[in-house]
Amino acid sequence: MILNVEDFRYVGGHRVWIQLSDKRSGEVDLSGALEGPIFQPLRDLAFFAQVRLEGRTLTWPNGADLAPEYLASILVEATNVRTG
């Protein structure tokens, strides 16, 4: 099964609520994912807030994107922290 981001909502800061094609959903904090030159502009909250759904994942105007599988792993970690 190919995993897709089906819906999202910018929450604030570097946080986004996502709905995945496997029906998991929740907030993810992407501040830890902003390493490397392509993600440098996303550290600016005004730029980060320009997030959009393109193809099957979240993207930004500079071409940065995050794989749905990566987003799912952060969602799982966040869920485990809350419930564990």
Side-chain angles (χ1 to χ4, degrees), residues 11-43:
V11 176
H14 290 108
R15 298 183 72 82
V16 179
W17 175 89
I18 59 172
Q19 169 83 45
L20 299 171
S21 56
D22 65 3
K23 303 309 175 200
R24 288 182 287 168
S25 65
E27 281 187 30
V28 290
D29 181 352
L30 300 176
S31 58
L34 306 181
E35 300 290 327
I38 190 77
F39 294 107
Q40 184 69 33
L42 279 66
R43 293 180 182 196

Side-chain angles (χ1 to χ4, degrees), residues 32-63:
L34 306 181
E35 300 290 327
I38 190 77
F39 294 107
Q40 184 69 33
L42 279 66
R43 293 180 182 196
D44 176 88
L45 292 178
F47 191 84
F48 185 89
Q50 295 178 47
V51 61
R52 62 185 183 238
L53 183 59
E54 187 174 303
R56 60 186 206 107
T57 197
L58 302 180
T59 65
W60 286 266
N62 69 335

